[in-house]
Amino acid sequence: MIVASNLTKRYPGGLEAVRDVSFTIKSGQMALISGHSGAGKTTLVKLMASIERPTSGSLVVNGQNLATLRTSALPYVRRHFGLIFQDQKLLFDRSALDNVLLPLNIAGLSRRDAIRRAQAALDKVGLLPREKANPIALSGGEQQRLAIARAVVNRPTVLLADEPTANLDAESASAILDLFIDFHRVGVTVVLATHDQSWIERCHPNVLRLDHGRLL
Amino acid sequence: MSAWLTQHRAALAAAFRRLSSAPLSTLLSLLAIGIALTLPAAGYVLLDNLRELGNRASGVKQISVFMDIGASRKDSNDIENRLREINKLSGNLNWRFVPREEALQRLQKTEGMAEIVASLPRNPLPDAFIVEPQDSEPAALEALGQTLSAWPKVAHVQLDSAWAKRFSAFLRLGRLALTLLAGLFAAGLVAVTFNTIRLQVMAQAAEIEVARMIGATDAFIRRPFYYYGALQGALGGLLAAALVLGGLRLLAAPVSELATLYGAAFTLHAPLGQGIAALTLGGALLGWLGAQLSVSLSLRQVG
């Protein structure tokens, strides 16, 4: 469960990207953060992923208040999330499989178990035949699916995605959304930040509408 | 525990991979580290050999005890008993009695002295003892010399303490100079590792950023760099040990030949297991230190 109370994020220089936002996302729910460019969607996702710390207010994820958590504890909290970025943040100096192995190496899994789980994740997103390919050789849709495989390989309780289909054609975007719906069906909390209103009709999520950092 | 071990194994493997992925750059770094460690290490070995050579040199730690010209053999026996007692207490004394007759015979054999000795109405030389303590420190030699000169029927005690002092001061100076040199080269080694690791951190900025976002701890990110630094330092230390041993091997025969020409038996001794281990461990520690400094600074820059 994610509970935000009077959550505010002010950047140095005074820009308030998120202002006094309160909401609740229940476990296993699918939520959509919508809003125009600059509305504060990315900042809200980063706050939930504990990449950014709130300036004020509280943000409780799975019983832990991220606003007051020690910095040294944050990496362990982040492992409960599967993060998907708009620009994927894939590593182009290694294969698709090695990209998916990274979270498992961080978790300290044995090489054999890690490979088994990474291949299962690649299979889930339809990329197992391309496990040895360098991400640079993959299409935009495939790169995003690879990013999803990396996000889910550690079996996260919450999947956070920031504009995951922003640079994709309609067909690829639809395939990506199908994957999120699949994960939601098996009980994963899915939070998607997008400006694509068509998603609301497809998956009937809990919608958080942002405008200039405020929740409408 | 198993996860911890797995991560350390993975970090070590990653360090090996990074070392082998750029063989030329690795080789150049190892050469720089190896040479930086070779110079002070070779200096220490040579100084150690010099100390050994100095201790062996005739007269350096010998004390000559000359009896009164009128001293009887009984007086000499008395001195010998006293020396025996000192040896019983400290156990580190050798001596040899040189009767006045033997001293005269030796003098006679010296070139140009035979006729002079033959013209003497009587033997002018006294009985003497050549005393050689194990402890060659100038202060210890002087203290022993004072004790001996206070004994009855001892006319004169001669020790070359000035030479011993000079030699000891030279060794001290050599050690100090080498320590300074070692400090300087150690700083150089740290700098080489610092720079290598800094470049690696910059090259892997993307991976570090992603790893942090998906839950990597600082320790996880730093570990491969620490292993890399320590490994590079250790290999540099091994290279330095190999260079020192190789150099000593080349020098061994000419040095022995030279020593033989001077009527001495001397061979260069090389550092054994302990010395090699010290060089390897020292290199690893310095490499780790360079990595530690570099990672701390570079990670702040990476964000």
Side-chain angles (χ1 to χ4, degrees):
Chain A
M1 186 140 91
I2 303 170
V3 183
S5 308
N6 308 110
L7 191 66
T8 297
K9 175 63 188 180
R10 190 179 304 112
Y11 286 104
L15 173 71
E16 272 192 338
V18 172
R19 299 179 196 186
D20 202 26
V21 165
S22 299
F23 62 84
T24 299
I25 299 170
K26 290 180 185 158
S27 292
Q29 207 174 36
M30 185 175 236
L32 204 90
I33 305 169
S34 75
H36 296 294
S37 185
K41 302 187 296 290
T42 299
T43 302
L44 193 55
V45 169
K46 283 182 174 175
L47 285 167
M48 282 192 268
S50 72
I51 293 169
E52 298 279 5
R53 306 295 295 265
T55 308
S56 63
S58 74
L59 180 61
V60 179
V61 180
N62 297 335
Q64 285 182 306
N65 187 354
L66 302 185
T68 56
L69 211 60
R70 286 195 328 273
T71 309
S72 59
L74 290 178
Y76 302 98
V77 172
R78 285 176 193 151
R79 291 180 198 176
H80 295 296
F81 300 111
L83 267 177
I84 298 138
F85 307 94
Q86 186 178 343
D87 60 353
Q88 294 114 19
K89 294 202 185 298
L90 296 171
L91 302 172
F92 295 101
D93 62 346
R94 63 198 67 190
S95 68
L97 179 67
D98 284 334
N99 267 274
V100 182
L101 280 172
L102 186 60
L104 301 170
N105 293 339
I106 291 169
L109 252 74
S110 71
R111 178 92 185 145
R112 202 188 336 164
D113 289 347
I115 288 177
R116 194 170 41 78
R117 270 171 68 169
Q119 285 175 330
L122 283 171
D123 194 27
K124 174 74 189 163
V125 299
L127 282 179
L128 188 57
R130 309 217 58 191
E131 65 170 336
K132 291 196 174 97
N134 188 292
I136 202 105
L138 302 177
S139 68
E142 284 174 327
Q143 286 186 2
Q144 197 57 275
R145 279 191 277 147
L146 179 58
I148 292 171
R150 187 181 64 189
V152 299
V153 74
N154 239 349
R155 297 167 188 164
T157 53
V158 181
L159 206 51
L160 294 168
D162 181 21
E163 298 279 12
T165 57
N167 304 316
L168 302 181
D169 58 70
E171 196 181 335
S172 299
S174 176
I176 296 292
L177 183 58
D178 284 342
L179 279 172
F180 286 123
I181 291 169
D182 284 350
F183 289 119
H184 170 235
R185 279 190 188 135
V186 294
V188 178
T189 307
V190 179
V191 181
L192 304 172
T194 182
H195 61 270
D196 190 344
Q197 296 298 310
S198 67
W199 285 26
I200 300 170
E201 290 146 31
R202 273 197 63 189
C203 48
H204 308 291
N206 173 13
V207 180
L208 306 171
R209 247 181 252 280
L210 282 175
D211 185 35
H212 293 95
R214 289 190 185 280
L215 206 57
L216 297 177
Chain B
M1 187 65 183
S2 154
W4 185 83
L5 272 178
T6 303
Q7 287 185 336
H8 275 269
R9 259 205 311 269
L12 187 61
F16 269 114
R17 269 200 305 277
R18 280 177 198 169
L19 274 171
S20 57
S21 66
L24 185 65
S25 146
T26 300
L27 190 69
L28 289 174
S29 294
L30 288 184
L31 270 177
I33 293 169
I35 290 167
L37 288 173
T38 298
L39 293 172
Y44 274 117
V45 170
L46 287 177
L47 207 63
D48 203 35
N49 277 283
L50 203 61
R51 187 180 53 78
E52 183 71 22
L53 186 66
N55 284 342
R56 281 198 204 175
S58 168
V60 171
K61 56 180 188 179
Q62 277 181 2
I63 301 173
S64 303
V65 181
F66 298 102
M67 304 294 289
D68 273 343
I69 197 77
S72 65
R73 198 47 53 87
K74 184 177 166 297
D75 295 325
S76 298
N77 287 342
D78 180 45
I79 296 295
E80 190 146 25
N81 286 336
R82 284 168 183 259
L83 287 170
R84 211 166 277 135
E85 272 175 34
I86 290 184
N87 194 39
K88 246 187 228 171
L89 291 171
S90 58
N92 62 356
L93 207 63
N94 295 315
W95 68 88
R96 189 167 63 83
F97 176 59
V98 184
R100 53 205 299 255
E101 297 79 17
E102 185 187 325
L104 189 69
Q105 277 175 6
R106 278 198 195 178
L107 188 65
Q108 238 170 345
K109 282 179 190 162
T110 311
E111 202 177 323
M113 294 299 288
E115 278 184 26
I116 298 168
V117 170
S119 66
L120 291 172
R122 58 186 175 82
N123 184 354
L125 300 175
D127 285 337
F129 288 91
I130 307 295
V131 181
E132 196 167 310
Q134 291 293 315
D135 189 353
S136 62
E137 282 299 311
L141 286 175
E142 270 187 342
L144 182 62
Q146 276 174 6
T147 306
L148 298 176
S149 61
W151 288 354
K153 298 290 180 184
V154 169
H156 178 62
V157 170
Q158 183 185 309
L159 73 145
D160 200 352
S161 63
W163 199 97
K165 272 182 184 170
R166 277 197 295 271
F167 185 63
S168 179
F170 170 77
L171 287 180
R172 272 202 307 277
L173 181 69
R175 264 188 225 115
L176 180 66
L178 275 175
T179 306
L180 291 174
L181 191 71
L184 205 65
F185 281 112
L189 191 155
V190 170
V192 167
T193 312
F194 182 97
N195 197 43
T196 313
I197 300 281
R198 194 180 65 83
L199 292 174
Q200 283 193 7
V201 172
M202 295 303 165
Q204 287 167 33
E207 181 181 353
I208 291 168
E209 186 200 358
V210 172
R212 273 181 170 159
M213 284 180 180
I214 61 178
T217 58
D218 247 23
F220 178 88
I221 291 167
R222 286 165 177 257
R223 207 174 285 131
F225 297 111
Y226 288 167
Y227 272 114
Y228 183 95
L231 208 56
Q232 187 177 256
L235 289 174
L238 274 177
L239 181 66
L243 288 172
V244 170
L245 287 172
L248 287 175
R249 205 184 164 90
L250 285 174
L251 286 173
V255 166
S256 286
E257 195 183 329
L258 191 68
T260 310
L261 288 173
Y262 277 94
F266 179 75
T267 47
L268 283 172
H269 65 265
L272 295 173
Q274 237 176 357
I276 295 167
L279 262 178
T280 310
L281 195 67
L285 279 174
L286 289 169
W288 178 87
L289 180 68
Q292 157 86 25
L293 292 172
S294 181
V295 169
S296 298
L297 193 76
S298 308
L299 282 184
R300 245 180 276 156
Q301 289 171 350
V302 166

